[in-house]
Amino acid sequence: MAKRQFKSESKRILDLMIGSIYTHREIFLRELISNASDAIDKLCYIALTDDKLGLTREDFKIEITRDPEARTLTVSDNGVGMTAEDLESNLGVIARSGSLKFKNQLSADGAQDKASSGIDIIGQFGVGFYSAFMVAKKVTVISRAYGSDSANMWESSGSDGYVISPAERAAFGTDVIMQLKDDAEDDGYSEFLEEHTLYSLIKKYSDYIRWPIIMDVTRSRRVEADPQESGKSDKPESKSKWESYTERETVNSRIPIWQRPKSEATDEDCNEFFKEQFDAEEDPAAVIRVAAEGAAVSYKAMLFVPSAAPYDYFTREYEPGLRLYASGVLIMEKCASLLPEYFRFVRGVVDSADLSLNISRETLQHDRQLKTIAANLEKKVRAELERLLENDRAGYAKFYEAFGLQLKYGLLSDYGAHAEKLRGLLLFYSAREAGLITLAEYVKNMPEEQKFIYYACGSGIAALDKLPQAEPLRERGYDVLYLTDDIDDFAARALGEYEGRQLRSVTGDDLGIADEAERRELEKTEQESRELLDFVKESLDGKISEARLSATLVSAPVCLTAKGGVTLEMERYFNTLKSVSPAASPAPVRAERVLELNASHRLFELLKNAYESDRERAAKYAELLYGQALLTAGLELDDAARFCGIISELTA
Ligand code: ADP
């Protein structure tokens, strides 16, 4: 039989398949099973009208047969089959639309030199029958088409061409027989002859194919031992023994959980599915089921909000994305474009009959469909989180502990574009409640005259509780939110305001609580103390930008605030960053420090008296006050020994 040549573009794809990288190989099985399933779909449709066919829905199946000795793996179906012409036109050239697009993508990329990007596409989007050449050195297809008396064989050992010849086959359908490549030292193909590999590949990629996928599965059973044998011993277990046997079994579960009605997929089932499929230990915080029928795309989805973060969640290794199925066939393990970055913790599956198996990046149609799905899912996830927040505070708090940080990062990403959507989902520690509350709850409980939402940033609740700046707020019955994550200060800035109430840091230089009369009074005393305040600033020698009288301090003698854009928290944050990774922040970040003194405190009086009688002693009081302010702000002293010396001297 004369050898025929592949068309040039087919040959190129074939070459790519043959040289493909290891990790993508396993998808060949998915591709062949999917072709088999399509062929059965076609014959099943014909069977509806052709009584003579004598086949019912129950008769259709896909069989996987392995022969380790011959090193062959066969995928068979009793579907529509192919004639000799079909074999020629379907397998000899690129008939498949996906492959054509793949080819176009390659030419657009500038072909050969970009071959690696092409290979990447193989992994994500199947390119059909030719993928068999990723694992096989020779592929034989024996097929008998519906309505035909005879069968044909198509055989090829790769890019040097193929042969078509007459063959035998008892019934309609197709066998794809792969002669696996030889194992190389660091590159094995024998695994595709192993039962458990095939079993798990079917489970992984083709579990939800609606036709049964059948293969020999090893089982073991207890059998009664030979009575003569067992007579020799009186131990009861010696009367029976285990024996293994093989059985043809349907491996795939056929009806995906997300396709089942709610009554046939309980919450318990969904939780189990989540744990098994997504390697989670705990039940999810929420399960979201979606059945959407739309003009652009219809789909079903089952999403999970985990209640704990995977161990690698905050590392580069974590890959976000949803599993994407086209009519029950897995086409992408992690489709990241279905989720916004700030919901990257969501796991789950999306299944649409409107997507074809060969969905690929360059098809605008799919792009639009995926965008529609993504926009919809974003809303569903948000609504579910809001529902959880409303109805199950403990569950939400647990979720928030795991992923609250992610939501805050979401607030900051894309220049705050998502702040509007996310702020309702944030929780902050409330000083008054000694627990987490939402901004809405904060605002609801504000006394009428309170103008701002107050927050304090720091490394721990205990230290923040002692922050002198918060005291006047507490006295007025104003709650303060304690923000203890590194990025909180930025998050608070990104939020800016909530329901028209500005967020204000208690370490900022204006709490906005002094009334007009108080303010004027303060200005007057400040005028009178101008000289003293300037002296304090001078004697601290550039450490502060300003010394002023505090309008708010109650029992503390002093506090540190910051004016301008850089807060003390940012300074602290950038400096930690700098010590962890020096390159991250090249210039030292410094807040413009303002030392606020409490004019009605005894220490202020002592400072004043010293200023009048002994300037050197007054300078020490200034240092003492500054050191105290640093410590209460959670900052380090410049020189601890010197500070202790001053205390001893002033108190002796
Ligand atoms: P696709 O399946 O996307 O069309 P393939 O390269 O996998 O691309 O297959 C090319 C064509 O070969 C299919 O469209 C189908 O007509 C035919 N084909 C492949 N496998 C089978 C099969 N098992 N039974 C019948 N026809 C098949």
Side-chain angles (χ1 to χ4, degrees):
M1 213 55 62
K3 195 166 254 182
R4 306 176 200 204
Q5 293 306 309
F6 287 106
K7 297 281 181 309
S8 65
E9 62 264 29
S10 306
K11 190 170 176 308
R12 195 150 102 228
I13 290 188
L14 214 53
D15 286 338
L16 258 176
M17 292 296 162
I18 292 164
S20 76
I21 59 171
Y22 186 75
T23 46
H24 295 142
R25 280 177 197 156
E26 61 182 33
I27 63 133
F28 79 94
L29 192 61
R30 167 191 87 180
E31 296 298 304
L32 297 184
I33 288 175
S34 163
N35 279 350
S37 174
D38 290 347
I40 293 176
D41 282 343
K42 286 179 196 153
L43 193 59
C44 180
Y45 183 76
I46 292 169
L48 292 175
T49 52
D50 182 353
D51 297 336
K52 288 197 293 295
L53 196 58
L55 287 171
T56 67
R57 261 192 88 94
E58 282 65 47
D59 298 316
F60 292 109
K61 56 183 190 277
I62 298 163
E63 298 200 66
I64 311 291
T65 316
R66 56 196 185 90
D67 183 342
E69 262 148 55
R71 280 184 77 76
T72 60
L73 177 66
T74 304
V75 177
S76 304
D77 65 73
N78 52 355
V80 73
M82 285 176 277
T83 62
E85 292 75 46
D86 290 338
L87 287 170
E88 168 77 48
S89 59
N90 291 340
L91 307 184
V93 297
I94 305 179
R96 188 192 156 102
S97 53
S99 307
L100 266 176
K101 290 198 181 103
F102 176 70
K103 186 208 81 185
N104 294 340
Q105 168 81 30
L106 280 186
S107 355
D109 276 1
Q112 245 68 19
D113 52 322
K114 294 266 182 67
S116 59
S117 70
I119 288 171
D120 240 22
I121 299 173
I122 299 173
Q124 291 186 1
F125 316 103
V127 288
F129 170 77
Y130 286 162
S131 61
F133 286 97
M134 294 198 283
V135 297
K137 56 180 177 185
K138 188 174 87 181
V139 180
T140 307
V141 180
I142 298 173
S143 194
R144 184 172 154 200
Y146 161 70
S148 164
D149 295 333
S150 59
N152 290 285
M153 182 169 92
W154 178 101
E155 198 160 57
S156 169
S157 301
S159 52
D160 65 335
Y162 58 92
V163 170
I164 296 175
S165 54
E168 297 285 321
R169 199 178 195 280
F172 303 144
T174 304
D175 308 303
V176 178
I177 305 153
M178 287 158 277
Q179 176 75 54
L180 294 190
K181 293 184 190 178
D182 301 327
D183 289 336
E185 204 171 304
D186 53 351
D187 208 3
Y189 296 88
S190 297
E191 60 165 327
F192 298 117
L193 292 168
E194 283 166 23
E195 178 184 321
H196 80 266
T197 309
L198 297 170
Y199 190 94
S200 46
L201 286 181
I202 294 169
K203 275 289 188 201
K204 179 172 178 189
Y205 292 113
S206 314
D207 198 39
Y208 307 119
I209 288 282
R210 52 202 187 113
W211 307 111
I213 303 167
I214 296 170
M215 65 178 249
D216 274 340
V217 175
T218 311
R219 297 275 169 224
S220 57
R221 64 183 158 207
R222 229 187 167 113
V223 288
E224 290 305 312
D226 186 329
Q228 283 178 347
E229 280 285 309
S230 60
K232 288 179 192 157
S233 161
D234 36 44
K235 285 191 201 132
E237 60 269 29
S238 66
K239 288 194 183 130
S240 64
K241 61 179 183 189
W242 288 99
E243 145 188 298
S244 63
Y245 64 102
T246 58
E247 205 164 63
R248 299 297 282 168
E249 244 183 52
T250 300
V251 176
N252 54 331
S253 38
R254 304 184 59 190
I255 304 164
I257 189 164
W258 58 89
Q259 292 286 5
R260 291 179 215 158
K262 229 173 171 163
S263 58
E264 284 167 41
T266 62
D267 288 349
E268 195 45 45
D269 292 338
C270 297
N271 291 351
E272 279 315 307
F273 173 77
F274 168 68
K275 287 188 279 190
E276 185 191 296
Q277 294 288 312
F278 299 99
D279 284 332
E281 280 171 23
E282 293 178 51
D283 283 347
V287 180
I288 307 166
R289 307 184 205 212
V290 186
E293 305 263 332
V297 60
S298 296
Y299 65 93
K300 291 224 167 62
M302 182 174 277
L303 307 186
F304 302 94
V305 176
S307 50
Y311 71 95
D312 62 351
Y313 187 71
F314 287 101
T315 73
R316 274 178 226 271
E317 274 77 63
Y318 180 82
E319 263 186 80
L322 299 177
R323 260 187 216 169
L324 185 61
Y325 288 85
S327 308
V329 179
L330 178 64
I331 52 176
M332 216 167 164
E333 179 70 32
K334 292 200 169 150
C335 183
S337 58
L338 286 173
L339 288 173
E341 181 70 10
Y342 51 84
F343 287 156
R344 69 205 293 273
F345 47 81
V346 173
R347 314 305 308 268
V349 301
V350 173
D351 189 351
S352 171
D354 299 334
L355 300 171
S356 57
L357 234 190
N358 42 37
I359 172 175
S360 58
R361 269 183 275 210
E362 81 279 19
T363 58
L364 289 170
Q365 173 65 10
H366 286 319
D367 208 46
R368 212 188 62 211
Q369 289 170 323
L370 291 184
K371 279 205 178 103
T372 307
I373 299 175
N376 238 329
L377 294 181
E378 191 273 342
K379 285 199 207 97
K380 298 273 183 198
V381 172
R382 202 144 40 88
E384 181 62 26
L385 290 175
E386 278 160 11
R387 199 196 57 75
L388 194 68
L389 177 62
E390 183 87 17
N391 303 337
D392 175 9
R393 185 48 87 83
Y396 189 81
K398 187 164 188 315
F399 151 77
Y400 195 80
E401 198 188 327
F403 301 110
L405 197 58
Q406 179 68 66
L407 296 181
K408 287 186 217 164
Y409 278 120
L411 206 66
L412 297 179
S413 67
D414 302 327
Y415 306 100
H418 318 295
E420 182 73 29
K421 289 182 213 154
L422 297 177
R423 58 192 186 178
L425 294 174
L426 300 180
L427 293 181
F428 298 102
Y429 183 92
S430 146
R432 188 195 290 147
E433 303 296 325
L436 296 173
I437 64 167
T438 61
L439 289 172
E441 287 158 351
Y442 182 97
V443 169
K444 202 172 105 220
N445 293 321
M446 273 165 63
E448 216 173 302
E449 78 284 0
Q450 186 182 340
K451 290 201 282 277
F452 306 111
I453 297 172
Y454 294 103
Y455 68 92
C457 297
S459 51
I461 304 295
L464 288 172
D465 256 337
K466 298 201 182 74
L467 212 60
Q469 288 96 322
E471 206 180 344
L473 299 171
R474 243 174 274 135
E475 274 196 343
R476 285 172 167 78
Y478 299 175
D479 196 4
V480 179
L481 300 173
Y482 291 168
L483 313 188
T484 49
D485 276 329
D486 276 348
I487 66 155
D488 277 340
D489 193 33
F490 300 96
R493 277 154 185 279
L495 279 169
E497 53 129 62
Y498 186 80
E499 287 178 9
R501 320 281 176 141
Q502 224 185 57
L503 272 82
R504 284 221 171 160
S505 166
V506 302
T507 57
D509 60 350
D510 181 16
L511 289 182
I513 48 175
D515 65 27
E516 255 329 284
E518 279 179 60
R519 195 185 294 277
R520 266 197 299 271
E521 181 64 27
L522 186 76
E523 265 167 31
K524 213 174 117 223
T525 3
E526 206 158 42
Q527 289 285 311
E528 288 160 16
S529 317
R530 191 70 270 156
E531 213 182 297
L532 171 62
L533 292 170
D534 286 343
F535 168 79
V536 170
K537 182 185 165 185
E538 297 294 289
S539 63
L540 287 173
D541 198 21
K543 292 193 181 84
I544 59 168
S545 309
E546 191 185 337
R548 65 162 87 132
L549 294 186
S550 167
T552 51
L553 286 178
V554 183
S555 60
V558 67
C559 72
L560 204 59
T561 60
K563 61 178 183 180
V566 182
T567 62
L568 294 168
E569 291 71 38
M570 285 184 185
E571 176 184 313
R572 194 169 35 215
Y573 174 70
F574 280 117
N575 293 338
T576 359
L577 208 67
K578 203 162 147 44
S579 60
V580 180
S581 137
S585 160
V589 174
R590 231 173 131 72
E592 270 190 77
R593 293 162 189 227
V594 176
L595 191 68
E596 294 199 12
L597 302 169
N598 183 351
S600 49
H601 196 277
R602 167 105 178 105
L603 259 181
F604 186 74
E605 212 180 302
L606 291 171
L607 167 73
K608 212 161 132 187
N609 294 344
Y611 178 67
E612 272 148 26
S613 57
D614 178 353
R615 289 288 157 95
E616 225 169 279
R617 195 172 168 81
K620 289 192 172 130
Y621 271 114
E623 266 193 75
L624 174 75
L625 285 164
Y626 178 64
Q628 235 179 313
L630 280 178
L631 290 174
T632 42
L635 297 166
E636 267 176 51
L637 292 169
D638 300 332
D639 184 345
R642 185 178 159 82
F643 183 73
C644 294
I646 288 173
I647 294 179
S648 313
E649 198 183 320
L650 292 178
T651 52

